[in-house]
């Protein structure tokens, strides 16, 4: 879902799933452990909508496309990490290609959502794949520290699964430099936490709300 303020933002012409058809998938061959693997499609298709900021006077409007993703999640090794990597690589390659296409109506593409990214280090192949395709992933932080470290977006606070990514040449000048985690779990069901402890609290939150905290970034013309 996309929730927006109609006084500030309006939708444009694009509402679509990102589903690479068979003809396109033939061209998405991804290097993995010395082999070229063919991408067979997303487990859950990303969903995109184009928007435009409403401006007053003669100021040029800020148009952009948000792509809501929930990439494949699996084990940290074996076939599942391969499929996880293939989705990441295909998404990044698509964003790069579309951003350069002169016929794209809204080339300012912002990928956001649960990318199931295990780590944000340049040694990790999934993170490296995003950087290789020219995407920028702003560093984000929670206001809460856990064992001397900033919390991640998952409830355990140990993984940067959720990300906001964009191509700097198209979007960077509109990015206000603020990306943070909203730890809403500190405001919900305090009695449950006090009475039942952290394990039951997290299980309840996961079922009724989410097992991820909210990640937000600030953009503007």
């Amino acid at each position: 879902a996309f929730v927006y303020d109609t006084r500030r933002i309006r939708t444009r012409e694009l509402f679509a799933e990102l589903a690479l058809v068979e003809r396109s998938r033939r061209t998405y061959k991804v290097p993995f452990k010395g082999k070229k693997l063919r991408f067979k499609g997303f487990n859950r298709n990303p969903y995109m909508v184009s928007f435009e900021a409403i401006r007053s006077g003669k100021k040029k409007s800020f148009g952009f496309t948000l792509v809501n993703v929930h990439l494949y999640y699996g084990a940290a090794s074996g076939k599942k990490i391969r499929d996880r990597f293939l989705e990441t690589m295909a998404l990044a390659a698509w964003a790069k290609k579309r951003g350069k296409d002169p016929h794209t109506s809204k080339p300012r593409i912002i990928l956001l959502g649960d990318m199931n990214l295990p780590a944000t280090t340049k040694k990790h192949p999934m993170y490296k794949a995003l950087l290789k395709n020219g995407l920028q992933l702003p560093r984000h932080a929670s206001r809460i520290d856990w064992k001397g470290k900033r919390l991640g977006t998952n409830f355990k606070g140990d993984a940067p699964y959720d990300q906001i990514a964009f191509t700097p040449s198209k979007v960077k000048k509109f990015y206000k430099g603020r990306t943070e985690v909203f730890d809403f779990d500190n405001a919900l069901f305090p009695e449950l936490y006090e009475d039942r402890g952290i394990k039951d609290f997290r299980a309840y939150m996961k079922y009724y709300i989410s097992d991820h905290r909210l990640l937000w970034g600030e953009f503007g013309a």
Side-chain angles (χ1 to χ4, degrees), residues 52-125:
E52 188 175 74
I54 298 172
R55 304 294 301 274
S56 59
K58 296 182 179 179
K59 291 182 179 179
K60 193 173 181 180
S61 64
F62 169 45
F64 55 95
T65 299
L66 296 182
V67 185
N68 192 344
V69 307
H70 191 177
L71 297 184
Y72 183 78
Y73 178 78
S77 61
K79 182 179 181 297
K80 289 186 176 181
I81 191 65
R82 183 197 70 185
D83 292 344
R84 204 168 167 181
F85 174 76
L86 285 173
E87 286 208 351
T88 305
M89 194 70 175
L91 178 69
W94 170 86
K96 180 180 180 180
K97 184 177 179 181
R98 187 173 178 87
K100 289 184 175 181
D101 187 346
H103 304 294
T104 300
S105 61
K106 296 290 179 291
R108 298 187 192 109
I109 295 168
I110 302 172
L111 309 175
L112 69 168
D114 186 356
M115 294 188 185
N116 276 313
L117 192 65
T120 53
T121 64
K122 292 183 179 179
K123 293 182 179 180
H124 198 281

Side-chain angles (χ1 to χ4, degrees), residues 14-34:
L14 178 65
F15 292 79
E17 285 188 29
L18 172 52
L20 298 176
V21 297
E22 178 62 27
R23 184 179 61 190
S24 296
R25 289 202 296 266
R26 292 192 199 118
T27 66
Y28 279 80
K29 290 185 178 179
V30 178
F32 183 76
K33 293 187 176 180

